[in-house]
Amino acid sequence: MTSVTDTSALLIDRIHARHGDAVRIGTGCDLADDVEFVIDPDATITLGDRVSIRRGTTLQANTGGHIIIDDDTAIGENVVLSAMTHIRIGRGVGISNMVDIHDHNHRPRTHDTLTTDQPITPWASGFDAAPITIEPGAIISNKATITAGVTIGQNALIGANAVVTTSIPPNSTALGVPAQVKDRHPGPLDPRHPRRQLHIGWFGTSLMEHYEAHHPRLSTQADLPAVGEQIEVTEWRHRGYVHALTTRWQSSYPWITITTDNRGEGGATSRDVLVNVNTAVHGGGRWDLAFLGVGINDIWRHHQGRMSEAVGIDEYDTNIRTALALLSEATRRIVVIGEPPIGWDPAIDVAAANRDLLEYNQRARRAADDHHAQYIDLWDDITYTATCFGWSPTTPTAPTRGEPSIWSDGVHLSEYGDDLLHQIVARHLSDHRIHDGLLTLDRFDRATAARRYHVAR
């Protein structure tokens, strides 16, 4: 009688004879004799050690596609894996029967995806594609479907018949159509598996920069300086609403490493910010999410009479559009943050300056729309809160000493203003599911996806 090991060895020999170096199979693998390997030119399939694949399963690596299955993974019956970019399955993953994993799908049939001389065929409009990753220890239950761009986190459990269209965090259970997280079950994560990364860039003025003088003892609870003790400033650090948002996002997505590239500059006009964006992009900067907020200094300098530094509205429009065009080449998502009103400044006509600032904000909104960027309008929320604190937009004056205010000095934000910006930006990103969207890879036409997601074997 022929053993399972003998049958698998004979099958592996046949696979190698047919596909040569396009397939690599590790030691101790157990493959049913009807497992189908479909490998197009410039495509590969790699199996680690002790991989088990049951009957009726198809592994299809289309031209330029790669399937990588790591050690100790078990794949059930009648499963289909089809890759045009790449599908990666981590160590110890369990995939049950009749699961479908495609890293691509048909594009809609439109005038942009078809030419008039093409015959009517199922593939005439081409395909959109993005890699799929199933991290170590995940379990995919019967008849689940995993779609392009999705990452299934470590130890995640995907329920039967689920359709996974967005990435699922580790140590969670996702059910339904579309699949949503219904439960969390803390478990050990494989330290050898690389953590996901999100890189966030900030380009703007002192509202983003928000430097704070600091010494480590000032925030070390076990070694706080005594009242009256002199402490030397040893560093400047970014704080304000940008710091608060980063802290919030990191605690909300603990399985992701979130890094912040804060290029805010005190006193910057749109000219200065454009230089900063240009330097960052051409210096190789790349961001998953970038924020752009500028305009208040362009106007403030004009009303201060510093005309050589002031930036007129047409130049401002050109500057912000150029910055958005540059960022579009280096960033997956862009958010433009409108400027808040000025609170007070005895040296200028604040009401007139704020009227100008509203016009600049409208230009920023239109530029954001034209570059497919999100726009966050701060004006109404800032004005509402400020008036509740006693401020008047028609006769803007400094608050009575000790009274709360949005502004610390009439232009820069107080702790109340920073917290309000934190709330507004966090709410907008949550309502539009910006971060969740970034965790699922963007889909592109097949040729673009091949360039964007190319990996060496």
Side-chain angles (χ1 to χ4, degrees):
M1 183 173 71
T2 303
S3 69
V4 171
T5 303
D6 291 337
T7 301
S8 294
L10 292 171
L11 174 62
I12 291 169
D13 287 342
R14 293 200 306 270
I15 293 168
H16 279 139
R18 179 178 178 184
H19 297 292
D21 291 341
V23 62
R24 297 178 184 176
I25 299 177
T27 62
C29 292
D30 179 11
L31 310 181
D33 60 4
D34 64 347
V35 171
E36 184 72 15
F37 283 68
V38 181
I39 308 177
D40 290 344
D42 193 31
T44 63
I45 295 177
T46 302
L47 307 187
D49 297 337
R50 299 173 300 280
V51 172
S52 170
I53 305 179
R54 301 271 57 85
R55 65 185 179 86
T57 287
T58 299
L59 307 182
Q60 180 183 40
N62 299 277
T63 300
H66 306 278
I67 297 174
I68 304 103
I69 301 174
D70 213 336
D71 302 344
D72 302 303
T73 288
I75 299 177
E77 299 178 357
N78 300 308
V79 172
V80 176
L81 280 72
S82 182
M84 285 187 178
T85 56
H86 51 268
I87 296 172
R88 295 176 175 270
I89 300 177
R91 292 190 317 113
V93 167
I95 298 177
S96 297
N97 301 333
M98 293 179 280
V99 169
D100 184 272
I101 303 175
H102 273 65
D103 73 349
H104 56 278
N105 203 352
H106 291 273
R107 302 171 74 194
R109 297 173 62 85
T110 68
H111 293 292
D112 293 330
T113 61
L114 297 171
T115 58
T116 55
D117 58 349
Q118 285 180 307
I120 298 177
T121 65
W123 49 86
S125 58
F127 297 87
D128 284 329
I132 292 173
T133 300
I134 302 178
E135 295 183 350
I139 301 296
I140 315 299
S141 301
N142 288 352
K143 299 182 180 179
T145 297
I146 315 296
T147 63
V150 163
T151 294
I152 308 294
Q154 294 190 51
N155 303 329
L157 173 62
I158 307 301
N161 299 298
V163 177
V164 185
T165 59
T166 57
S167 293
I168 303 299
N171 293 328
S172 60
T173 299
L175 311 173
V177 181
Q180 296 183 2
V181 173
K182 300 297 184 182
D183 192 18
R184 299 191 175 191
H185 44 265
L189 301 181
D190 184 349
R192 293 172 294 178
H193 188 81
R195 287 172 61 89
R196 293 287 304 277
Q197 306 278 330
L198 282 183
H199 192 38
I200 302 175
W202 298 84
F203 297 90
T205 66
S206 55
L207 299 181
M208 288 182 181
E209 180 186 50
H210 197 117
Y211 272 141
E212 176 184 80
H214 186 64
H215 184 286
R217 285 186 62 195
L218 294 173
S219 56
T220 304
Q221 292 297 305
D223 190 30
L224 292 175
V227 174
E229 181 180 350
Q230 291 188 351
I231 293 293
E232 180 183 11
V233 172
T234 58
E235 63 183 347
W236 296 96
R237 63 179 185 177
H238 293 294
R239 306 301 285 178
Y241 81 96
V242 171
H243 172 76
L245 284 166
T246 304
T247 302
R248 174 177 182 150
W249 294 331
Q250 185 61 83
S251 62
S252 299
Y253 298 88
W255 67 97
I256 306 295
T257 298
I258 296 177
T259 57
T260 296
D261 182 12
N262 190 335
R263 295 174 184 256
E265 179 184 339
T269 65
S270 61
R271 287 183 200 136
D272 304 311
V273 171
L274 176 56
V275 170
N276 292 340
V277 170
N278 187 64
T279 300
V281 171
H282 288 101
R286 295 294 181 268
W287 306 272
D288 294 287
L289 176 63
F291 291 86
L292 178 64
V294 64
I296 194 167
N297 290 316
D298 299 45
I299 292 164
W300 197 18
R301 300 292 177 265
H302 174 81
H303 286 268
Q304 289 174 318
R306 297 161 61 177
M307 304 310 294
S308 64
E309 300 171 60
V311 179
I313 193 166
D314 290 333
E315 182 187 349
Y316 169 80
D317 188 82
T318 298
N319 290 342
I320 197 167
R321 287 177 179 276
T322 305
L324 285 168
L326 287 165
L327 288 172
S328 295
E329 296 299 316
T331 309
R332 292 178 61 196
R333 303 286 187 277
I334 304 172
V335 175
V336 177
I337 301 180
E339 297 286 69
I342 297 171
W344 66 88
D345 181 349
I348 69 170
D349 183 340
V350 172
N354 283 338
R355 287 194 295 271
D356 291 342
L357 194 50
L358 277 171
E359 292 186 26
Y360 279 58
N361 279 344
Q362 288 302 315
R363 292 290 187 100
R365 181 192 291 273
R366 289 197 291 270
D369 289 343
D370 291 344
H371 287 82
H372 308 290
Q374 296 279 328
Y375 181 82
I376 300 179
D377 191 339
L378 307 176
W379 199 274
D380 289 346
D381 285 323
I382 293 284
T383 300
Y384 172 79
T385 304
T387 55
C388 287
F389 284 159
W391 178 78
S392 170
T394 55
T395 54
T397 56
T400 303
R401 186 175 180 84
E403 292 296 315
S405 173
I406 291 293
W407 301 274
S408 61
D409 60 0
V411 178
H412 299 94
L413 299 175
S414 68
E415 289 187 349
Y416 300 107
D418 270 322
D419 187 68
L420 184 55
L421 256 68
H422 174 201
Q423 294 179 49
I424 296 168
V425 176
R427 182 174 65 239
H428 181 95
L429 267 63
S430 177
D431 289 347
H432 291 82
R433 299 180 62 84
I434 300 294
H435 278 92
D436 291 337
L438 289 171
L439 298 179
T440 299
L441 295 178
D442 297 327
R443 302 176 188 182
F444 299 99
D445 66 89
R446 186 176 182 178
T448 303
R451 293 193 302 272
R452 295 258 184 153
Y453 299 122
H454 173 76
V455 292
R457 185 181 178 189

PDB file of all heavy atoms in Angstrom, residues 178-207:
ATOM      1  N   PRO A 178     -20.169  42.574   5.141  1.00  0.00           N
ATOM      2  CA  PRO A 178     -18.723  42.344   5.199  1.00  0.00           C
ATOM      3  C   PRO A 178     -18.295  41.999   6.618  1.00  0.00           C
ATOM      4  O   PRO A 178     -18.989  42.342   7.588  1.00  0.00           O
ATOM      5  CB  PRO A 178     -18.140  43.678   4.747  1.00  0.00           C
ATOM      6  CG  PRO A 178     -19.158  44.682   5.181  1.00  0.00           C
ATOM      7  CD  PRO A 178     -20.500  44.017   4.992  1.00  0.00           C
ATOM      8  N   ALA A 179     -17.162  41.334   6.753  1.00  0.00           N
ATOM      9  CA  ALA A 179     -16.698  40.889   8.062  1.00  0.00           C
ATOM     10  C   ALA A 179     -16.394  42.077   8.967  1.00  0.00           C
ATOM     11  O   ALA A 179     -15.781  43.051   8.542  1.00  0.00           O
ATOM     12  CB  ALA A 179     -15.463  40.019   7.903  1.00  0.00           C
ATOM     13  N   GLN A 180     -16.847  41.967  10.212  1.00  0.00           N
ATOM     14  CA  GLN A 180     -16.572  43.000  11.210  1.00  0.00           C
ATOM     15  C   GLN A 180     -16.121  42.332  12.493  1.00  0.00           C
ATOM     16  O   GLN A 180     -16.544  41.222  12.822  1.00  0.00           O
ATOM     17  CB  GLN A 180     -17.823  43.846  11.468  1.00  0.00           C
ATOM     18  CG  GLN A 180     -18.284  44.632  10.259  1.00  0.00           C
ATOM     19  CD  GLN A 180     -19.484  45.513  10.575  1.00  0.00           C
ATOM     20  OE1 GLN A 180     -19.954  45.563  11.698  1.00  0.00           O
ATOM     21  NE2 GLN A 180     -19.970  46.216   9.566  1.00  0.00           N
ATOM     22  N   VAL A 181     -15.274  43.034  13.233  1.00  0.00           N
ATOM     23  CA  VAL A 181     -14.769  42.490  14.494  1.00  0.00           C
ATOM     24  C   VAL A 181     -15.902  42.440  15.508  1.00  0.00           C
ATOM     25  O   VAL A 181     -16.570  43.440  15.767  1.00  0.00           O
ATOM     26  CB  VAL A 181     -13.599  43.347  15.022  1.00  0.00           C
ATOM     27  CG1 VAL A 181     -13.192  42.891  16.417  1.00  0.00           C
ATOM     28  CG2 VAL A 181     -12.420  43.270  14.063  1.00  0.00           C
ATOM     29  N   LYS A 182     -16.119  41.231  16.072  1.00  0.00           N
ATOM     30  CA  LYS A 182     -17.173  41.037  17.061  1.00  0.00           C
ATOM     31  C   LYS A 182     -16.632  40.741  18.452  1.00  0.00           C
ATOM     32  O   LYS A 182     -17.364  40.843  19.438  1.00  0.00           O
ATOM     33  CB  LYS A 182     -18.077  39.876  16.622  1.00  0.00           C
ATOM     34  CG  LYS A 182     -18.749  40.083  15.281  1.00  0.00           C
ATOM     35  CD  LYS A 182     -19.690  41.280  15.277  1.00  0.00           C
ATOM     36  CE  LYS A 182     -20.422  41.415  13.944  1.00  0.00           C
ATOM     37  NZ  LYS A 182     -21.311  42.605  13.928  1.00  0.00           N
ATOM     38  N   ASP A 183     -15.361  40.336  18.514  1.00  0.00           N
ATOM     39  CA  ASP A 183     -14.803  39.964  19.813  1.00  0.00           C
ATOM     40  C   ASP A 183     -13.286  40.086  19.740  1.00  0.00           C
ATOM     41  O   ASP A 183     -12.702  40.064  18.646  1.00  0.00           O
ATOM     42  CB  ASP A 183     -15.203  38.532  20.173  1.00  0.00           C
ATOM     43  CG  ASP A 183     -14.902  38.193  21.619  1.00  0.00           C
ATOM     44  OD1 ASP A 183     -14.717  39.137  22.418  1.00  0.00           O
ATOM     45  OD2 ASP A 183     -14.847  36.998  21.962  1.00  0.00           O
ATOM     46  N   ARG A 184     -12.655  40.222  20.910  1.00  0.00           N
ATOM     47  CA  ARG A 184     -11.200  40.244  20.996  1.00  0.00           C
ATOM     48  C   ARG A 184     -10.758  39.223  22.023  1.00  0.00           C
ATOM     49  O   ARG A 184     -11.426  39.022  23.035  1.00  0.00           O
ATOM     50  CB  ARG A 184     -10.694  41.639  21.364  1.00  0.00           C
ATOM     51  CG  ARG A 184     -11.079  42.671  20.314  1.00  0.00           C
ATOM     52  CD  ARG A 184     -10.379  43.995  20.520  1.00  0.00           C
ATOM     53  NE  ARG A 184     -10.698  44.911  19.427  1.00  0.00           N
ATOM     54  CZ  ARG A 184     -10.084  46.062  19.220  1.00  0.00           C
ATOM     55  NH1 ARG A 184      -9.107  46.441  20.024  1.00  0.00           N
ATOM     56  NH2 ARG A 184     -10.430  46.842  18.224  1.00  0.00           N
ATOM     57  N   HIS A 185      -9.651  38.574  21.749  1.00  0.00           N
ATOM     58  CA  HIS A 185      -9.151  37.518  22.621  1.00  0.00           C
ATOM     59  C   HIS A 185      -7.632  37.642  22.711  1.00  0.00           C
ATOM     60  O   HIS A 185      -6.905  37.074  21.911  1.00  0.00           O
ATOM     61  CB  HIS A 185      -9.549  36.133  22.087  1.00  0.00           C
ATOM     62  CG  HIS A 185      -9.351  35.974  20.613  1.00  0.00           C
ATOM     63  ND1 HIS A 185     -10.358  36.169  19.701  1.00  0.00           N
ATOM     64  CD2 HIS A 185      -8.253  35.675  19.877  1.00  0.00           C
ATOM     65  CE1 HIS A 185      -9.894  35.962  18.473  1.00  0.00           C
ATOM     66  NE2 HIS A 185      -8.619  35.664  18.563  1.00  0.00           N
ATOM     67  N   PRO A 186      -7.116  38.408  23.692  1.00  0.00           N
ATOM     68  CA  PRO A 186      -5.674  38.641  23.772  1.00  0.00           C
ATOM     69  C   PRO A 186      -4.883  37.332  23.742  1.00  0.00           C
ATOM     70  O   PRO A 186      -5.223  36.362  24.421  1.00  0.00           O
ATOM     71  CB  PRO A 186      -5.511  39.355  25.120  1.00  0.00           C
ATOM     72  CG  PRO A 186      -6.836  40.010  25.356  1.00  0.00           C
ATOM     73  CD  PRO A 186      -7.858  39.075  24.773  1.00  0.00           C
ATOM     74  N   GLY A 187      -3.843  37.324  22.943  1.00  0.00           N
ATOM     75  CA  GLY A 187      -2.998  36.145  22.811  1.00  0.00           C
ATOM     76  C   GLY A 187      -1.594  36.544  22.432  1.00  0.00           C
ATOM     77  O   GLY A 187      -1.327  37.694  22.070  1.00  0.00           O
ATOM     78  N   PRO A 188      -0.655  35.602  22.489  1.00  0.00           N
ATOM     79  CA  PRO A 188       0.746  35.920  22.188  1.00  0.00           C
ATOM     80  C   PRO A 188       0.951  36.188  20.705  1.00  0.00           C
ATOM     81  O   PRO A 188       0.402  35.496  19.856  1.00  0.00           O
ATOM     82  CB  PRO A 188       1.493  34.653  22.629  1.00  0.00           C
ATOM     83  CG  PRO A 188       0.475  33.555  22.511  1.00  0.00           C
ATOM     84  CD  PRO A 188      -0.846  34.175  22.850  1.00  0.00           C
ATOM     85  N   LEU A 189       1.747  37.212  20.410  1.00  0.00           N
ATOM     86  CA  LEU A 189       2.084  37.540  19.032  1.00  0.00           C
ATOM     87  C   LEU A 189       3.503  37.070  18.730  1.00  0.00           C
ATOM     88  O   LEU A 189       4.387  37.124  19.587  1.00  0.00           O
ATOM     89  CB  LEU A 189       1.969  39.044  18.789  1.00  0.00           C
ATOM     90  CG  LEU A 189       0.595  39.665  19.045  1.00  0.00           C
ATOM     91  CD1 LEU A 189       0.629  41.161  18.743  1.00  0.00           C
ATOM     92  CD2 LEU A 189      -0.480  38.983  18.221  1.00  0.00           C
ATOM     93  N   ASP A 190       3.721  36.623  17.513  1.00  0.00           N
ATOM     94  CA  ASP A 190       5.022  36.132  17.094  1.00  0.00           C
ATOM     95  C   ASP A 190       5.986  37.313  16.959  1.00  0.00           C
ATOM     96  O   ASP A 190       5.805  38.162  16.079  1.00  0.00           O
ATOM     97  CB  ASP A 190       4.890  35.394  15.757  1.00  0.00           C
ATOM     98  CG  ASP A 190       6.187  34.758  15.290  1.00  0.00           C
ATOM     99  OD1 ASP A 190       7.237  35.052  15.892  1.00  0.00           O
ATOM    100  OD2 ASP A 190       6.144  33.972  14.327  1.00  0.00           O
ATOM    101  N   PRO A 191       7.001  37.406  17.818  1.00  0.00           N
ATOM    102  CA  PRO A 191       7.907  38.575  17.752  1.00  0.00           C
ATOM    103  C   PRO A 191       8.728  38.608  16.476  1.00  0.00           C
ATOM    104  O   PRO A 191       9.285  39.661  16.129  1.00  0.00           O
ATOM    105  CB  PRO A 191       8.800  38.385  18.985  1.00  0.00           C
ATOM    106  CG  PRO A 191       8.776  36.910  19.256  1.00  0.00           C
ATOM    107  CD  PRO A 191       7.391  36.455  18.865  1.00  0.00           C
ATOM    108  N   ARG A 192       8.794  37.479  15.754  1.00  0.00           N
ATOM    109  CA  ARG A 192       9.567  37.465  14.508  1.00  0.00           C
ATOM    110  C   ARG A 192       8.799  38.069  13.357  1.00  0.00           C
ATOM    111  O   ARG A 192       9.377  38.394  12.315  1.00  0.00           O
ATOM    112  CB  ARG A 192       9.960  36.020  14.156  1.00  0.00           C
ATOM    113  CG  ARG A 192      10.939  35.389  15.133  1.00  0.00           C
ATOM    114  CD  ARG A 192      11.126  33.920  14.854  1.00  0.00           C
ATOM    115  NE  ARG A 192       9.896  33.171  15.101  1.00  0.00           N
ATOM    116  CZ  ARG A 192       9.769  31.860  14.901  1.00  0.00           C
ATOM    117  NH1 ARG A 192      10.785  31.170  14.422  1.00  0.00           N
ATOM    118  NH2 ARG A 192       8.623  31.258  15.164  1.00  0.00           N
ATOM    119  N   HIS A 193       7.479  38.212  13.520  1.00  0.00           N
ATOM    120  CA  HIS A 193       6.672  38.773  12.427  1.00  0.00           C
ATOM    121  C   HIS A 193       6.728  40.289  12.482  1.00  0.00           C
ATOM    122  O   HIS A 193       6.464  40.896  13.522  1.00  0.00           O
ATOM    123  CB  HIS A 193       5.226  38.301  12.538  1.00  0.00           C
ATOM    124  CG  HIS A 193       4.398  38.673  11.346  1.00  0.00           C
ATOM    125  ND1 HIS A 193       4.412  37.943  10.181  1.00  0.00           N
ATOM    126  CD2 HIS A 193       3.560  39.714  11.127  1.00  0.00           C
ATOM    127  CE1 HIS A 193       3.602  38.501   9.306  1.00  0.00           C
ATOM    128  NE2 HIS A 193       3.083  39.586   9.851  1.00  0.00           N
ATOM    129  N   PRO A 194       7.078  40.956  11.384  1.00  0.00           N
ATOM    130  CA  PRO A 194       7.203  42.421  11.412  1.00  0.00           C
ATOM    131  C   PRO A 194       5.867  43.100  11.687  1.00  0.00           C
ATOM    132  O   PRO A 194       4.819  42.681  11.187  1.00  0.00           O
ATOM    133  CB  PRO A 194       7.718  42.760  10.005  1.00  0.00           C
ATOM    134  CG  PRO A 194       7.323  41.589   9.155  1.00  0.00           C
ATOM    135  CD  PRO A 194       7.360  40.388  10.048  1.00  0.00           C
ATOM    136  N   ARG A 195       5.900  44.150  12.502  1.00  0.00           N
ATOM    137  CA  ARG A 195       4.700  44.926  12.795  1.00  0.00           C
ATOM    138  C   ARG A 195       4.335  45.801  11.605  1.00  0.00           C
ATOM    139  O   ARG A 195       5.204  46.284  10.873  1.00  0.00           O
ATOM    140  CB  ARG A 195       4.922  45.814  14.025  1.00  0.00           C
ATOM    141  CG  ARG A 195       4.949  45.062  15.333  1.00  0.00           C
ATOM    142  CD  ARG A 195       5.365  45.979  16.464  1.00  0.00           C
ATOM    143  NE  ARG A 195       4.462  47.096  16.658  1.00  0.00           N
ATOM    144  CZ  ARG A 195       3.388  47.077  17.454  1.00  0.00           C
ATOM    145  NH1 ARG A 195       3.083  45.970  18.114  1.00  0.00           N
ATOM    146  NH2 ARG A 195       2.630  48.144  17.597  1.00  0.00           N
ATOM    147  N   ARG A 196       3.039  46.023  11.430  1.00  0.00           N
ATOM    148  CA  ARG A 196       2.591  46.982  10.430  1.00  0.00           C
ATOM    149  C   ARG A 196       3.061  48.371  10.821  1.00  0.00           C
ATOM    150  O   ARG A 196       3.194  48.707  11.994  1.00  0.00           O
ATOM    151  CB  ARG A 196       1.054  46.980  10.326  1.00  0.00           C
ATOM    152  CG  ARG A 196       0.439  45.707   9.781  1.00  0.00           C
ATOM    153  CD  ARG A 196       0.670  45.553   8.284  1.00  0.00           C
ATOM    154  NE  ARG A 196       0.186  46.700   7.524  1.00  0.00           N
ATOM    155  CZ  ARG A 196      -1.093  46.862   7.136  1.00  0.00           C
ATOM    156  NH1 ARG A 196      -2.008  45.970   7.455  1.00  0.00           N
ATOM    157  NH2 ARG A 196      -1.449  47.902   6.425  1.00  0.00           N
ATOM    158  N   GLN A 197       3.288  49.221   9.818  1.00  0.00           N
ATOM    159  CA  GLN A 197       3.774  50.574  10.042  1.00  0.00           C
ATOM    160  C   GLN A 197       2.811  51.576   9.401  1.00  0.00           C
ATOM    161  O   GLN A 197       2.330  51.351   8.283  1.00  0.00           O
ATOM    162  CB  GLN A 197       5.158  50.757   9.410  1.00  0.00           C
ATOM    163  CG  GLN A 197       6.201  49.742   9.841  1.00  0.00           C
ATOM    164  CD  GLN A 197       6.832  50.073  11.163  1.00  0.00           C
ATOM    165  OE1 GLN A 197       6.951  51.257  11.525  1.00  0.00           O
ATOM    166  NE2 GLN A 197       7.245  49.057  11.901  1.00  0.00           N
ATOM    167  N   LEU A 198       2.530  52.658  10.102  1.00  0.00           N
ATOM    168  CA  LEU A 198       1.842  53.807   9.515  1.00  0.00           C
ATOM    169  C   LEU A 198       2.695  55.040   9.780  1.00  0.00           C
ATOM    170  O   LEU A 198       3.041  55.331  10.931  1.00  0.00           O
ATOM    171  CB  LEU A 198       0.442  53.999  10.115  1.00  0.00           C
ATOM    172  CG  LEU A 198      -0.677  53.083   9.624  1.00  0.00           C
ATOM    173  CD1 LEU A 198      -1.997  53.484  10.270  1.00  0.00           C
ATOM    174  CD2 LEU A 198      -0.804  53.105   8.114  1.00  0.00           C
ATOM    175  N   HIS A 199       3.028  55.751   8.714  1.00  0.00           N
ATOM    176  CA  HIS A 199       3.884  56.934   8.815  1.00  0.00           C
ATOM    177  C   HIS A 199       3.043  58.160   8.481  1.00  0.00           C
ATOM    178  O   HIS A 199       2.443  58.232   7.396  1.00  0.00           O
ATOM    179  CB  HIS A 199       5.061  56.799   7.857  1.00  0.00           C
ATOM    180  CG  HIS A 199       6.142  57.810   8.079  1.00  0.00           C
ATOM    181  ND1 HIS A 199       6.524  58.242   9.331  1.00  0.00           N
ATOM    182  CD2 HIS A 199       6.935  58.480   7.195  1.00  0.00           C
ATOM    183  CE1 HIS A 199       7.498  59.118   9.216  1.00  0.00           C
ATOM    184  NE2 HIS A 199       7.767  59.296   7.932  1.00  0.00           N
ATOM    185  N   ILE A 200       3.002  59.114   9.406  1.00  0.00           N
ATOM    186  CA  ILE A 200       2.131  60.282   9.282  1.00  0.00           C
ATOM    187  C   ILE A 200       2.978  61.543   9.212  1.00  0.00           C
ATOM    188  O   ILE A 200       3.863  61.768  10.044  1.00  0.00           O
ATOM    189  CB  ILE A 200       1.148  60.363  10.458  1.00  0.00           C
ATOM    190  CG1 ILE A 200       0.303  59.083  10.515  1.00  0.00           C
ATOM    191  CG2 ILE A 200       0.254  61.588  10.332  1.00  0.00           C
ATOM    192  CD1 ILE A 200      -0.619  59.006  11.701  1.00  0.00           C
ATOM    193  N   GLY A 201       2.727  62.378   8.205  1.00  0.00           N
ATOM    194  CA  GLY A 201       3.461  63.627   8.039  1.00  0.00           C
ATOM    195  C   GLY A 201       2.577  64.834   8.330  1.00  0.00           C
ATOM    196  O   GLY A 201       1.371  64.815   8.052  1.00  0.00           O
ATOM    197  N   TRP A 202       3.177  65.876   8.888  1.00  0.00           N
ATOM    198  CA  TRP A 202       2.467  67.105   9.218  1.00  0.00           C
ATOM    199  C   TRP A 202       3.219  68.278   8.607  1.00  0.00           C
ATOM    200  O   TRP A 202       4.422  68.441   8.833  1.00  0.00           O
ATOM    201  CB  TRP A 202       2.388  67.289  10.733  1.00  0.00           C
ATOM    202  CG  TRP A 202       1.631  66.208  11.447  1.00  0.00           C
ATOM    203  CD1 TRP A 202       2.115  64.999  11.847  1.00  0.00           C
ATOM    204  CD2 TRP A 202       0.252  66.247  11.825  1.00  0.00           C
ATOM    205  NE1 TRP A 202       1.116  64.276  12.457  1.00  0.00           N
ATOM    206  CE2 TRP A 202      -0.036  65.013  12.456  1.00  0.00           C
ATOM    207  CE3 TRP A 202      -0.759  67.192  11.691  1.00  0.00           C
ATOM    208  CZ2 TRP A 202      -1.299  64.709  12.952  1.00  0.00           C
ATOM    209  CZ3 TRP A 202      -2.021  66.894  12.189  1.00  0.00           C
ATOM    210  CH2 TRP A 202      -2.282  65.667  12.812  1.00  0.00           C
ATOM    211  N   PHE A 203       2.512  69.122   7.863  1.00  0.00           N
ATOM    212  CA  PHE A 203       3.118  70.271   7.207  1.00  0.00           C
ATOM    213  C   PHE A 203       2.259  71.490   7.504  1.00  0.00           C
ATOM    214  O   PHE A 203       1.087  71.537   7.106  1.00  0.00           O
ATOM    215  CB  PHE A 203       3.212  70.039   5.695  1.00  0.00           C
ATOM    216  CG  PHE A 203       4.094  68.879   5.323  1.00  0.00           C
ATOM    217  CD1 PHE A 203       3.565  67.604   5.206  1.00  0.00           C
ATOM    218  CD2 PHE A 203       5.450  69.066   5.104  1.00  0.00           C
ATOM    219  CE1 PHE A 203       4.376  66.526   4.879  1.00  0.00           C
ATOM    220  CE2 PHE A 203       6.264  68.002   4.772  1.00  0.00           C
ATOM    221  CZ  PHE A 203       5.726  66.730   4.663  1.00  0.00           C
ATOM    222  N   GLY A 204       2.833  72.450   8.212  1.00  0.00           N
ATOM    223  CA  GLY A 204       2.043  73.625   8.553  1.00  0.00           C
ATOM    224  C   GLY A 204       2.833  74.614   9.374  1.00  0.00           C
ATOM    225  O   GLY A 204       4.053  74.753   9.221  1.00  0.00           O
ATOM    226  N   THR A 205       2.139  75.286  10.272  1.00  0.00           N
ATOM    227  CA  THR A 205       2.686  76.402  11.034  1.00  0.00           C
ATOM    228  C   THR A 205       2.929  75.985  12.478  1.00  0.00           C
ATOM    229  O   THR A 205       2.939  74.805  12.806  1.00  0.00           O
ATOM    230  CB  THR A 205       1.695  77.571  10.987  1.00  0.00           C
ATOM    231  OG1 THR A 205       0.501  77.190  11.678  1.00  0.00           O
ATOM    232  CG2 THR A 205       1.337  77.935   9.544  1.00  0.00           C
ATOM    233  N   SER A 206       3.091  76.975  13.348  1.00  0.00           N
ATOM    234  CA  SER A 206       3.318  76.694  14.768  1.00  0.00           C
ATOM    235  C   SER A 206       2.137  75.967  15.403  1.00  0.00           C
ATOM    236  O   SER A 206       2.290  75.333  16.454  1.00  0.00           O
ATOM    237  CB  SER A 206       3.580  77.991  15.528  1.00  0.00           C
ATOM    238  OG  SER A 206       2.526  78.915  15.328  1.00  0.00           O
ATOM    239  N   LEU A 207       0.932  76.061  14.814  1.00  0.00           N
ATOM    240  CA  LEU A 207      -0.209  75.318  15.351  1.00  0.00           C
ATOM    241  C   LEU A 207       0.074  73.821  15.333  1.00  0.00           C
ATOM    242  O   LEU A 207      -0.390  73.080  16.204  1.00  0.00           O
ATOM    243  CB  LEU A 207      -1.476  75.616  14.546  1.00  0.00           C
ATOM    244  CG  LEU A 207      -1.944  77.073  14.521  1.00  0.00           C
ATOM    245  CD1 LEU A 207      -3.229  77.187  13.700  1.00  0.00           C
ATOM    246  CD2 LEU A 207      -2.153  77.609  15.924  1.00  0.00           C
TER     247      LEU A 207
END
